[in-house]
Every structure is written in structure tokens, then in C-alpha cells.
Amino acid sequence: MSEQSGNGLRQRGLAWLWLRRFSQVISLCFFLYLFLRYRYQDQNLLQGPLHLFFRLDPLLWLSEIVASWRWTWFFLPALAVLLLTVLLGRFFCAWICPLGALFDGIGTALNARRGRQPGNLSPSYRLIKYLLLLVLIVLAIFGFNWIGIFDPLALFFRSLALAIYPAASYSGERLFDLLFGLSPEKWGDSLDAIYSVLKGPLLAERALSYHLLVFTGLLFIGVLLLELVERRFWCKNLCPLGALFGLFARWRRLRRLPAKLCGDCGECKFLCKMDSFATESGRQNLRECILCMSCQVSCRENRVQYRFKASQPAVPHPDIGRRRIVLAVVSAAVSLPLLKVGSKRAQAQAIRPAGALPESEFLQRCLRCGACMKVCVTNGLQPLLLQGGLDALWTPSLVPRQGYCEFHCTLCGQACPTGAIRALSVAEKQRTVIGKAVTDPSRCIPYARGQNCLVCEEHCPTSPKAIVLRPQKKMNPHGKVVTVKLPVVILDRCIGCGICENKCPVEGLQAGIRVRPLVSMEQRLLEKAQGAGRKA
């Protein structure tokens, strides 16, 4: 190869390398921009291509098909990504995936600080992601869908929504408090103008807190710190989406030339962040290559190039083996009953958002992405840990004491990318029952103290009101019989929005009136009726 031709290859590779980095930065920034758009924007309507990245994800498409057993055009862009994977290989991982871009940035920063790059683990670790993908699919077929927990886009969005963004927003608020306190008075108007611009688009309108904030944040930090163990550890060994791309990349047409390491150099093996070259044969494993172009740019002899080839030479790949496949399927099937122990009883305690599908279908289709919780205007939607069993992990449940379901809001249904929460009209939403309020005579002020309290009745949004006040004689703490207005819930009118519990002035975690989930309420009424029947 002439020197001029070799320099041309290198310059072309360098151009592709910078184009790939530019694509990563744009993709990450656009992902963050869309994430910030999941909020109330002065109207009860979410606008823009908010679900774009989810729609590009073939693994979420597969999850949706397994969950609903029906074709959906919503994930049509994911089909285009799969077709491009057949043509180009795992380009998504290095060019589009925002989590991959974050891994590259974090990995570069961490390892530059240490002054050395981490080594490569045994190629046998690559099998984990294929086995994980297989187990997740088998479990999802049998009604235990954890695909969203491991999907990189859902994981990234969930970590941002439940941990990173609340912490960053809180830090930003405290920073402005500090600046307002320390800055000269003449700067006050400028700071106030800056704060007004950032409030809403960048800083949350209200302080956000989630029950799993620390848990979610530590897990995400742990995933990022895996870069200290091996470059792109998650992508190489754990990512089920990467495994799915790898399965399709075996037919890829864009090939690296030469296909093997050069006998007099072999430096590409150490440059490749995906460790895609086989140790013994030196051939490149096309299922692992993510088309980062580093080998072409770094080649001192200007030998490396990428070309489309129609031929199908044998592609080396990790041998999963029939035994491992059978073992993974059997393990998933056997563990399924254990994973679902106590789930139904626990899930009956969850108050799902208005528009949520029936519980079993909801759990199948929910991605655990946290979009509904991010967009909730009252911060009332909270992620479940083990309260609903393992299959309800990170699914949303209303906690009225923290925030209620706003009567005129339908944003959570619009934010849900899979329809696990249906998008309702405002009129439909206001008729949808998610629970029933019940007074607690031991804590409710009129019942327990013999004093009037109108708060729950005043805030009840239904028309006619689901909470009415009925005068009754009660003895107050001073032993005097007085007439007080007792709040009584009209169950046929109550929709379980939780504003009564949220606004209840009784101090402590337990309010004087509480919202019960529908299933729990039905069970209670049934047990009460059965008890009355036995007495009769």
C-alpha cells in the first residue's frame, strides 16, 4: 500500500472517529434534553418526540411483544435499527446509545486520573449477557418481565429520574441560596433573572424525593465504576441489548480489513475497548465490535479499513453451548415460582396511577423507566422496592401522604412509553377510580378529639363531593358533649385521588383519613359482609 493511500485511509478513519464522537455527544445531549421535557409545561400536555430513544430500542420492542403478544407499530424505528445492525453491526452501542457515551466519558476521566487503562477480563465473561438475555425472555414469557430493569436506556432514564436529577436539582437550589446570601446586593436582580430562567427547564419546580433515591443512585454509580474494572464492562458482559445486537451482528456486511490481527503488530487487540479479537486466532469477533473506528485511526501502518463485503466467512463467537442454554432456561423456569412468592398479596397494597392496566398486564408492560414518576406534578408516585414483591420492583405506586393524584392531570399516561398506563382524557381521568378513602376514627380530629375539622371535605375535588360532613354529638377531651361535623366518605363518589390524606392536618405519617387500594378495599368489604352473614 502506498504511503499516500495509507494516509488517505487514516484521514478517513479519523474523520469517522470524530463523527462518531460528535454523534455520541449529540445523542447524549438530546437524551438529556428529552428527559428534562418530561415535566408539566404550563399545560396538561407533553409535547415533542419524548419516547424517541425508547422507540429505537429493539429490546423494549421485544419486551412489548412478549408482554402483549401483539404487533405494535410504535416500535417501528427499532426494526430499522435491527436492519441497520445486520448491515453495520453493533453501531448503536458506539454511535447512539447515551449510556455508552457516558461510559466512554466516565471511563476516560477515571482512567486518566489513575494514569493507566484497566485490563481485559476473560472472554468467557461475554457469555453472561447472552445468558441474561435468554433468562429475561423466558421469565417474560411466563409473566415475570424484568427486561426493563436491565435495558440500558430504561436503566439510564430511571437512574436520572429517581436519583441523579432530584439530587442535582436540590444541589442547584442550595447553590442559588448560597449565591443569594453571599453576593452583593447589586447582583441580586441578575441572579434572580438567571434563577427564573433555570427554574422549571433545569431545576425542578418543587423539591423531589423518592423512596429509592439512595438505592437507585448507588446502583447507577456502581455500574459506572465498573469502568475501573474493564473498559465498557457493562456493554461487554451484562447488557442484554448488546447481546441482542450481537446476535444480529453475525450477518453484518461492513467488515474490518484485515479481519485478523497483523502478525507483526497485534496492537489493535490492546486498543479495542470491546476486546473483540480472539486470543488464539487473532480474528475479530464481529458480534462484539461496536464500530468505534479506534483501530483504523491508531494503525501505524495504515492497513486497517472497513468495507462492505457480501461473503460470509466463519465468524468466531463465544460458544454458549447447548448445556448452558438448557441450564439457563431450566433455571429461569424453576426460579419463577420463587420470584413470585407473595407477589399477589403484596401488590394488592399498591395504588396504581389512573389509567393503569389490570395488575398482571401492568407488570408485564411496565418498563420501570420512572417516566411517570418524573412527570408527576405532586411527587406522589413513588417506586416500590419489595412491598409489591420482586416483580413489582421500581413500579409506580401512589403514596398520598407524600403527594396526591392531581384531579386535572393526565401526564403520567402520556409519559408512559408502553401504554402500561393508558393516556386518558381529563374527563376519563376524573371518573377513574384508583382507591377509596377511609376515615380512621382513632386519628381523625372530629372523631378522636371532638373538634371540627373541614380540611378533607374542603379539598375533595369531585362533584358532588365524596366527603360530606354530618353533625353528631361527641364528647370532647374536657368531658363536655358537643356537636361536631364528622367527615363521612361516600364510597360511590370517591376516586381515591388521595388529596384528603395529603392535606389532613394530623401530624405524623398516618393521617386521619387514608386511601386504600381498590383490591384491598374490596377484600375488606367482602370480609365485612361475610362476617355479618356469619353473625346472622
Side-chain angles (χ1 to χ4, degrees):
M1 182 180 294
S2 68
E3 184 177 347
Q4 185 176 5
S5 174
N7 288 335
L9 282 177
R10 189 168 185 173
Q11 290 298 323
R12 195 184 309 163
L14 194 59
W16 281 109
L17 177 68
W18 280 105
L19 184 61
R20 193 259 301 171
R21 289 175 176 170
F22 178 74
S23 171
Q24 280 188 302
V25 172
I26 293 296
S27 180
L28 177 60
C29 292
F30 194 50
F31 184 87
L32 296 176
Y33 167 74
L34 293 181
F35 169 81
L36 292 172
R37 297 282 295 175
Y38 279 85
R39 64 181 178 85
Y40 179 74
Q41 302 170 27
D42 299 326
Q43 57 180 341
N44 187 35
L45 181 65
L46 296 181
Q47 294 180 314
L50 298 185
H51 304 321
L52 176 62
F53 282 89
F54 293 125
R55 298 181 69 186
L56 291 172
D57 190 333
L59 186 60
L60 298 185
W61 181 36
L62 179 63
S63 171
E64 177 70 9
I65 290 176
V66 171
S68 62
W69 292 108
R70 64 179 177 83
W71 176 267
T72 170
W73 292 105
F74 181 79
F75 285 98
L76 188 62
L79 179 60
V81 171
L82 275 186
L83 293 176
L84 285 174
T85 302
V86 174
L87 189 67
L88 305 173
R90 289 176 57 179
F91 77 102
F92 186 93
C93 304
W95 291 70
I96 298 177
C97 181
L99 188 57
L102 190 63
F103 283 142
D104 282 346
I106 294 287
T108 301
L110 290 176
N111 294 311
R113 187 177 178 82
R114 291 199 313 170
R116 64 182 176 85
Q117 293 288 343
N120 290 319
L121 300 178
S122 167
S124 59
Y125 283 86
R126 313 286 183 271
L127 298 177
I128 296 175
K129 63 176 179 291
Y130 294 102
L131 295 174
L132 178 61
L133 174 65
L134 182 61
V135 168
L136 289 175
I137 292 174
V138 172
L139 289 177
I141 290 174
F142 289 99
F144 188 92
N145 195 345
W146 260 20
I147 290 178
I149 288 182
F150 289 92
D151 179 85
L153 299 183
L155 183 153
F156 192 16
F157 196 101
R158 178 175 65 244
S159 303
L160 285 173
L162 303 185
I164 308 300
Y165 180 65
S169 182
Y170 176 81
S171 302
E173 292 284 352
R174 298 293 73 80
L175 176 63
F176 270 101
D177 288 343
L178 187 65
L179 291 176
F180 277 119
L182 297 179
S183 62
E185 188 175 347
K186 61 182 180 181
W187 292 5
D189 291 342
S190 301
L191 277 176
D192 193 49
I194 295 172
Y195 180 77
S196 301
V197 171
L198 297 181
K199 188 71 174 177
L202 279 181
L203 300 175
E205 292 284 357
R206 54 176 296 170
L208 299 174
S209 80
Y210 296 99
H211 295 171
L212 301 187
L213 186 150
V214 175
F215 176 65
T216 307
L218 289 179
L219 274 182
F220 186 63
I221 292 172
V223 169
L224 295 179
L225 290 180
L226 289 175
E227 286 297 300
L228 292 172
V229 179
E230 191 180 28
R231 288 179 295 173
R232 288 263 189 166
F233 182 98
W234 171 270
C235 312
K236 285 180 191 172
N237 307 312
L238 298 177
C239 182
L241 178 59
L244 184 63
F245 283 136
L247 294 177
F248 282 84
R250 78 180 298 274
W251 296 289
R252 107 183 214 186
R253 291 291 186 269
L254 185 63
R255 304 295 180 91
R256 176 188 184 272
L257 297 175
K260 298 173 60 175
L261 294 172
C262 300
D264 57 347
C265 179
E267 194 172 339
C268 292
K269 179 171 177 55
F270 304 101
L271 288 171
C272 180
K273 63 180 70 175
M274 293 299 288
D275 191 24
S276 65
F277 293 92
T279 305
E280 296 172 355
S281 66
R283 289 186 65 87
Q284 188 186 35
N285 184 349
L286 298 181
R287 298 186 184 198
E288 299 300 325
C289 171
I290 57 174
L291 212 63
C292 69
M293 315 302 287
S294 298
C295 56
Q296 183 175 4
V297 174
S298 303
C299 182
R300 288 175 293 183
E301 302 297 330
N302 298 323
R303 296 169 179 159
V304 178
Q305 56 183 307
Y306 284 84
R307 286 190 176 179
F308 287 99
K309 291 181 69 70
S311 60
Q312 295 287 319
V315 178
H317 59 84
D319 181 16
I320 300 177
R322 293 179 184 175
R323 288 185 180 179
R324 289 195 179 100
I325 293 176
V326 172
L327 183 62
V329 172
V330 172
S331 301
V334 170
S335 62
L336 187 62
L338 298 176
L339 292 171
K340 303 192 78 166
V341 167
S343 293
K344 287 188 177 179
R345 184 177 180 83
Q347 287 154 19
Q349 306 303 317
I351 304 174
R352 298 301 185 189
L357 297 174
E359 187 67 16
S360 59
E361 191 177 353
F362 173 79
L363 290 177
Q364 275 283 73
R365 297 181 66 176
C366 177
L367 294 181
R368 285 78 169 167
C369 63
C372 56
M373 293 175 263
K374 165 72 171 63
V375 83
C376 180
V377 294
T378 66
N379 198 205
L381 285 181
Q382 294 289 321
L384 291 177
L385 181 58
L386 298 177
Q387 306 94 318
L390 284 171
D391 52 350
L393 179 63
W394 272 308
T395 57
S397 176
L398 184 70
V399 180
R401 200 58 172 156
Q402 182 153 345
Y404 56 93
C405 185
E406 168 57 45
F407 195 56
H408 301 284
C409 174
T410 61
L411 295 182
C412 57
Q414 298 175 47
C416 182
T418 63
I421 305 172
R422 291 176 293 117
L424 304 176
S425 66
V426 174
E428 286 176 319
K429 154 68 185 296
Q430 293 175 349
R431 294 194 299 268
T432 302
V433 180
I434 59 175
K436 294 291 181 182
V438 180
T439 54
D440 181 352
S442 67
R443 294 186 63 80
C444 180
I445 293 175
Y447 285 96
R449 305 179 195 173
Q451 300 171 1
N452 282 320
C453 175
L454 315 176
V455 175
C456 57
E457 191 270 345
E458 284 180 338
H459 285 88
C460 181
T462 61
S463 179
K465 287 182 178 292
I467 299 176
V468 297
L469 301 174
R470 291 178 178 166
Q472 190 171 328
K473 292 190 180 300
K474 297 282 294 182
M475 183 176 295
N476 65 16
H478 305 291
K480 187 177 179 181
V481 176
V482 294
T483 300
V484 294
K485 296 179 179 178
L486 300 179
V488 176
V489 179
I490 310 298
L491 291 179
D492 292 341
R493 301 175 188 170
C494 180
I495 60 172
C497 68
I499 193 171
C500 51
E501 182 176 343
N502 182 262
K503 301 296 182 185
C504 178
V506 174
E507 296 180 349
L509 295 176
Q510 301 292 328
I513 184 168
R514 293 196 288 276
V515 176
R516 304 290 187 189
L518 270 182
V519 177
S520 175
M521 193 69 192
E522 288 169 358
Q523 286 176 345
R524 180 171 295 193
L525 291 174
L526 181 62
E527 291 169 0
K528 190 174 180 180
Q530 289 173 342
R534 282 194 294 271
K535 287 180 181 177

